[in-house]
Amino acid sequence: MVESIAKSKNKDFAVSLITPWVKGNMFVSDDDILKVRMQNKIFFGLIPAGMTKDNSPLSSVSNVYTSKEYKLSNIIIGLLLAIFGVMSLGSSFMTGLILAVIGVLLIGSGIKTTFAYERMGIEKRIEFPFFEANHVDEFEEEVVSRIAAFQDDRNVRKQSESNAQTISDAIRGTKED
């Protein structure tokens, strides 16, 4: 029971810049399945809408990686809106403020962190806001280590060598006594 609680920590991720309290979840289950439950996003990735679910056995997962990317279209549109909003603060304060805030949010939505993996040759990509970058990198490291452990458990040659070494060490230990 305690082990499953420890394994599930740090698996919730904010999915949107404008709603950081809305969380998605990714984890590797005890039965070696990568489980993804993330909200889809609309309006330049600012508003969560819908849900993506995916269950991938570790035996079919390969090429796990993260990347940081900049979507220039979001950044440029956001910059233009922010400048226009600041310029219109004098004539209509509320409209200018709203445009400036939307512009800043669009600029932030243009900076993405992506967690990606291939399942049987098909790439799956999940985008996160920039402030989740460290969290996503930690999760990537965990998934890679779980895949390595999974592969080691199923590597017959490696298991045979390990068993042969254990038997050899046991025989040497009994002869010395």
Side-chain angles (χ1 to χ4, degrees), residues 36-93:
V36 177
R37 308 278 183 276
M38 299 301 288
Q39 283 71 24
N40 296 326
K41 297 166 291 285
I42 58 173
F43 189 65
F44 299 101
L46 290 174
I47 301 170
M51 171 78 69
T52 296
K53 295 180 182 180
D54 185 45
N55 296 318
S56 300
L58 287 184
S59 60
S60 65
V61 173
S62 64
N63 198 20
V64 177
Y65 64 94
T66 59
S67 67
K68 280 49 167 188
E69 45 188 64
Y70 301 92
K71 297 200 177 210
L72 288 178
S73 59
N74 289 17
I75 293 171
I76 291 170
I77 292 170
L79 188 60
L80 292 174
L81 275 175
I83 290 170
F84 185 73
V86 169
M87 288 175 36
S88 62
L89 280 174
S91 62
S92 174
F93 180 77

Side-chain angles (χ1 to χ4, degrees), residues 5-157:
I5 292 171
K7 284 186 177 180
S8 67
K9 94 175 192 187
N10 292 332
K11 304 299 185 276
D12 291 333
F13 299 88
V15 296
S16 167
L17 182 66
I18 200 167
T19 58
W21 60 86
V22 175
K23 303 283 185 179
N25 191 276
M26 295 190 313
F27 63 97
V28 179
S29 67
D30 292 336
D31 53 351
D32 293 323
I33 295 177
L34 175 62
K35 297 189 177 224
V36 177
R37 308 278 183 276
M38 299 301 288
Q39 283 71 24
N40 296 326
K41 297 166 291 285
I42 58 173
F43 189 65
F44 299 101
L46 290 174
I47 301 170
M51 171 78 69
T52 296
K53 295 180 182 180
D54 185 45
N55 296 318
S56 300
L58 287 184
S59 60
S60 65
V61 173
S62 64
N63 198 20
V64 177
Y65 64 94
T66 59
S67 67
K68 280 49 167 188
E69 45 188 64
Y70 301 92
K71 297 200 177 210
L72 288 178
S73 59
N74 289 17
I75 293 171
I76 291 170
I77 292 170
L79 188 60
L80 292 174
L81 275 175
I83 290 170
F84 185 73
V86 169
M87 288 175 36
S88 62
L89 280 174
S91 62
S92 174
F93 180 77
M94 201 52 139
T95 303
L97 182 64
I98 290 171
L99 286 175
V101 168
I102 291 173
V104 169
L105 289 172
L106 281 176
I107 291 169
S109 76
I111 306 168
K112 298 277 185 191
T113 298
T114 303
F115 174 79
Y117 61 96
E118 287 183 22
R119 182 184 68 193
M120 301 184 73
I122 299 170
E123 184 181 55
K124 304 284 185 175
R125 297 173 55 88
I126 302 133
E127 292 184 342
F128 298 94
F130 66 91
F131 58 83
E132 287 284 4
N134 288 337
H135 200 182
V136 172
D137 289 341
E138 290 171 5
F139 182 69
E140 178 215 8
E141 290 173 12
E142 179 186 337
V143 171
V144 168
S145 69
R146 291 285 301 268
I147 289 173
F150 178 82
Q151 296 299 335
D152 284 347
D153 285 347
R154 279 137 188 89
N155 186 335
V156 174
R157 182 188 57 80

